[in-house]
Amino acid sequence: MSAQTKPASTKVVTGQVRLSYCNLFEPRAQQEGGDPKFSVTILIPKSDTATINKIKAAQETAINTKWPTKRPAKIASTLHDGDGVKEKTGEEFGAECKGHWVMSVSSKQRPGVVDADLNEIMDKTAIVSGDYGRVSINAYGYDVSGNRGVSFGLNNVMFKERGEPLGGRTRAADDFADNDDEFF
């Protein structure tokens, strides 16, 4: 290998993404009786081709690692087009997903969570759906009961900036910022 060639990696650190369905401090089961995991859905702007290219390269590495001799005909992916429909339900993605690639990532281990200055964040209310950050993920191939694909595990999250909350919920500080005492 030449000094300029990096070995193929399954690890990706994204550019700035929008965070949704944040379960970064307490694990949550996706389904009743399921295995609780830490998770987040990341919304990657389609304009961030550098991140998408790194994700696709990591997927290829994971595929070649899992199936070195015979690649399966169909390989599922956790990367979805937010302008399309959900594979399992056929429903459209939410409005916040338009213009983005959508990827859900999870881990049984709690991810490291830091702010932009690399200070550890422990407050579970510090990051909410709609905020922006960067995410470290790792691609892996799976073959479970005939279902073959590539998914990504959640490593770490860096909070970058507040975003408009998703899901319609607002923060109390925002609701009462115009405290004009008109009712008192």
Side-chain angles (χ1 to χ4, degrees), residues 9-12 58 62 105-106 136-140 150-155:
S9 175
T10 57
K11 182 179 176 182
V12 173
V105 294
S106 64
S136 169
I137 54 180
N138 200 64
Y140 62 92
V150 175
S151 193
F152 283 78
L154 173 61
N155 295 331

Side-chain angles (χ1 to χ4, degrees), residues 21-153:
Y21 297 103
C22 298
N23 298 297
L24 302 174
F25 299 97
E26 293 180 14
R28 180 175 174 260
Q30 295 292 345
Q31 299 171 346
E32 181 90 22
D35 197 13
K37 294 182 181 180
F38 298 93
S39 62
V40 66
T41 297
I42 59 176
L43 308 179
I44 308 160
K46 287 189 175 178
S47 60
D48 185 358
T49 55
T51 293
I52 294 303
N53 289 339
K54 288 191 287 186
I55 288 171
K56 289 181 178 181
Q59 285 176 320
E60 277 303 309
T61 300
I63 290 168
N64 293 332
T65 300
K66 182 72 176 174
W67 300 283
T69 56
K70 187 173 183 200
R71 183 185 191 113
K74 183 177 179 192
I75 300 174
S77 172
T78 188
L79 182 66
H80 305 286
D81 185 344
D83 292 320
V85 296
K86 298 175 184 177
E87 281 183 30
K88 291 182 180 178
T89 64
E91 298 172 358
E92 286 189 21
F93 283 94
E96 72 279 1
C97 298
K98 302 302 180 201
H100 294 85
W101 291 99
V102 179
M103 179 184 283
S104 294
V105 294
S106 64
S107 174
K108 291 181 182 179
Q109 288 81 38
R110 183 181 179 275
V113 182
V114 297
D115 64 19
D117 295 321
L118 304 181
N119 298 309
E120 186 174 11
I121 297 174
M122 299 299 291
D123 179 1
K124 64 182 178 182
T125 64
I127 301 176
V128 298
S129 294
D131 288 343
Y132 293 89
R134 297 181 68 204
V135 181
S136 169
I137 54 180
N138 200 64
Y140 62 92
Y142 64 87
D143 187 347
V144 180
S145 303
N147 295 319
R148 297 176 180 100
V150 175
S151 193
F152 283 78

Side-chain angles (χ1 to χ4, degrees), residues 176-184:
F176 302 113
D178 270 355
N179 187 6
D180 59 10
D181 294 327
E182 107 182 35
F183 296 105
F184 299 102

